[in-house]
Amino acid sequence: MSIAIVTGSAGLIGSESVRFLAEKGLTVVGIDNDLRKSFFGEEASTDWNRRRLEQQVRGYSHVSADIRDEAAMEALFAKHGRDIELIIHCAAQPSHDWAAKAPLVDFTVNANGTLVLLEKTRRHCPDAVFIYLSTNKVYGDTPNRLPLRETETRWELDTSHPYAEHGIDESMSIDASMHSLFGVSKVSADLMVQEYGRYFGMRTACFRGGCLTGPGHSGAQLHGFLSYLVRCGVAGTPYTVFGYKAKQVRDNIHSHDLVSALWHFFQKPRVAEVYNMGGSRFSNCSMLEAIALTEKISGRRMNWTYVDENRAGDHIWWVSDVRRFQSHYPDWKYEYGLERTLREIHDAMVERTMSR
């Protein structure tokens, strides 16, 4: 039996992974205890998504456990042993702001939880592929030192800079910058995943995501940029933009396109790889541009306000250079552009709102 373990299985990338892998014929075991609800409140709960997975995905089994619980992880990995061929690790505390409120929780979830999973993999299924959903926040605020120029709707990188055409690549330093405590906990896990690859020869990869998005996201103010923006647009809820004249730029990758990339890696795994993974120049927008597009799709004006103070360590401009991944996996390609992604999020949000 070929088993895939997906942590954070009721979240955005986790649930997309569950469906994708099940369609490919793997038996999927999901781990998720809905910590997102305790982080961000009832509106951010992923319980609705867990119920859908259990109802709709044949053969899916759900484990409500904490990845920090070594005994629970030991029991799970010992049960399946070498039948485990793939671990996709999506579970995390994902917010800058929340991390500052509870640093011990943030670090133990992101760093210690990852270490527990790596060690269980090494002991029970060392030949399995271990994929970690890292983040571009491992680079801290270093991107803010790039030579940016202001345009009417966005900040943009000076065209003379090497990153201008394709975005930021993996050569950017992760040192000597302010990361936020969240960024630090994710860096710690990122490095540990790499080290288990290099030191023990395990087939590991860190995918340093930009803005990951899609209809499976339970967006909240502190995490889930496009999902939360669209939810506010649908419900008429006030939305606040923090700093940078609302011209900060994010690249956005649909959860399906990301999970497709993870599948390509699984089919031909490498050791201790690191990839920047986002929408690249194919799919990116500023806050102003995202608001305008949301208004176009919803057909209604958004109720948004601006606060001049930006979030500490927040990026002014981020576009991922995905060419390293594409050079290793040339058959992978994007399927979802920005407007298609936003329309899908909007339609799913309307459907969920009407079904309540």
Side-chain angles (χ1 to χ4, degrees):
M1 181 183 296
S2 298
I3 292 176
I5 291 180
V6 178
T7 74
S9 57
L12 171 67
I13 306 304
S15 61
E16 189 81 52
S17 297
V18 169
R19 295 179 185 278
F20 192 104
L21 297 172
E23 288 178 1
K24 294 293 186 180
L26 278 74
T27 299
V28 185
V29 178
I31 305 171
D32 198 311
N33 60 344
D34 201 11
L35 267 182
R36 191 175 178 87
K37 177 181 176 180
S38 69
F39 295 152
F40 309 127
E42 184 67 42
E43 285 294 316
S45 172
T46 59
D47 190 60
W48 65 273
N49 216 1
R50 173 194 59 79
R51 293 195 302 271
R52 283 191 176 185
L53 293 176
E54 290 180 319
Q55 294 164 4
Q56 298 172 0
V57 180
R58 185 176 181 179
Y60 173 70
S61 61
H62 190 88
V63 177
S64 182
D66 195 309
I67 59 171
R68 296 171 292 180
D69 185 339
E70 190 171 356
M73 295 302 101
E74 172 67 24
L76 177 62
F77 277 76
K79 175 182 177 181
H80 297 292
R82 291 182 180 268
D83 286 339
I84 301 170
E85 295 186 4
L86 172 64
I87 299 93
I88 296 181
H89 176 29
C90 310
Q93 188 301 109
S95 168
H96 284 269
D97 304 81
W98 199 94
K101 299 175 184 178
L104 290 174
V105 176
D106 172 77
F107 193 86
T108 55
V109 169
N110 291 345
N112 294 48
T114 301
L115 178 57
V116 169
L117 294 168
L118 284 165
E119 187 60 11
K120 300 312 173 188
T121 300
R122 183 173 77 90
R123 292 188 178 278
H124 294 287
C125 48
D127 295 328
V129 175
F130 190 104
I131 298 174
Y132 172 57
L133 269 296
S134 188
T135 171
N136 60 8
K137 302 306 186 292
V138 300
Y139 297 108
D141 62 359
T142 297
N144 292 353
R145 301 173 204 161
L146 295 171
L148 300 173
R149 56 184 178 82
E150 185 179 358
T151 70
E152 183 178 354
T153 63
R154 60 162 53 200
W155 293 99
E156 191 49 85
L157 189 57
D158 188 277
T159 55
S160 64
H161 196 278
Y163 291 155
E165 184 177 359
H166 299 287
I168 297 169
D169 66 26
E170 297 83 359
S171 67
M172 177 173 276
S173 175
I174 64 173
D175 294 325
S177 62
M178 182 170 71
H179 292 78
S180 80
L181 298 181
F182 159 73
V184 170
S185 64
K186 294 292 284 187
V187 164
S188 301
D190 187 304
L191 292 175
M192 192 64 75
V193 171
Q194 292 183 56
E195 196 63 22
Y196 266 67
R198 291 192 177 90
Y199 197 88
F200 297 116
M202 291 169 57
R203 296 179 295 179
T204 67
C206 299
F207 282 76
R208 294 173 173 173
C211 284
L212 317 179
T213 193
H217 214 176
S218 297
Q221 184 179 33
L222 297 184
H223 183 256
F225 159 42
L226 285 183
S227 175
Y228 182 67
L229 178 69
V230 173
R231 180 151 69 86
C232 289
V234 169
T237 306
Y239 184 88
T240 304
V241 179
F242 296 93
Y244 303 133
K245 301 182 181 180
K247 296 181 180 182
Q248 55 267 57
V249 170
R250 302 286 182 269
D251 72 352
N252 305 277
I253 185 169
H254 191 287
S255 52
H256 173 83
D257 288 344
L258 174 58
V259 173
S260 173
L262 307 185
W263 175 257
H264 277 76
F265 181 86
F266 173 56
Q267 294 302 291
K268 192 178 178 182
R270 300 164 66 93
V271 171
E273 276 295 353
V274 173
Y275 299 112
N276 286 354
M277 181 56 61
S280 71
R281 282 296 188 184
F282 177 77
S283 174
N284 64 83
C285 61
S286 71
M287 287 300 310
L288 286 177
E289 292 162 356
I291 289 169
L293 187 52
T294 300
E295 290 178 337
K296 172 187 172 182
I297 291 169
S298 67
R300 60 187 297 180
R301 297 281 293 176
M302 283 203 64
N303 177 17
W304 70 282
T305 55
Y306 175 75
V307 175
D308 195 49
E309 184 177 357
N310 60 276
R311 289 186 168 119
D314 199 15
H315 291 159
I316 305 172
W317 183 90
W318 179 273
V319 173
S320 307
D321 183 347
V322 300
R323 287 179 301 163
R324 176 178 171 80
F325 181 79
Q326 289 174 321
S327 71
H328 293 167
Y329 303 95
D331 292 336
W332 175 82
K333 61 183 179 180
Y334 292 107
E335 294 185 25
Y336 288 82
L338 181 63
E339 184 163 349
R340 181 184 177 187
T341 298
L342 266 176
R343 287 189 181 278
E344 191 175 90
I345 295 171
H346 173 269
D347 293 348
M349 199 72 67
V350 170
E351 180 185 348
R352 282 165 55 189
T353 300
M354 292 177 65
S355 65
R356 288 175 181 172

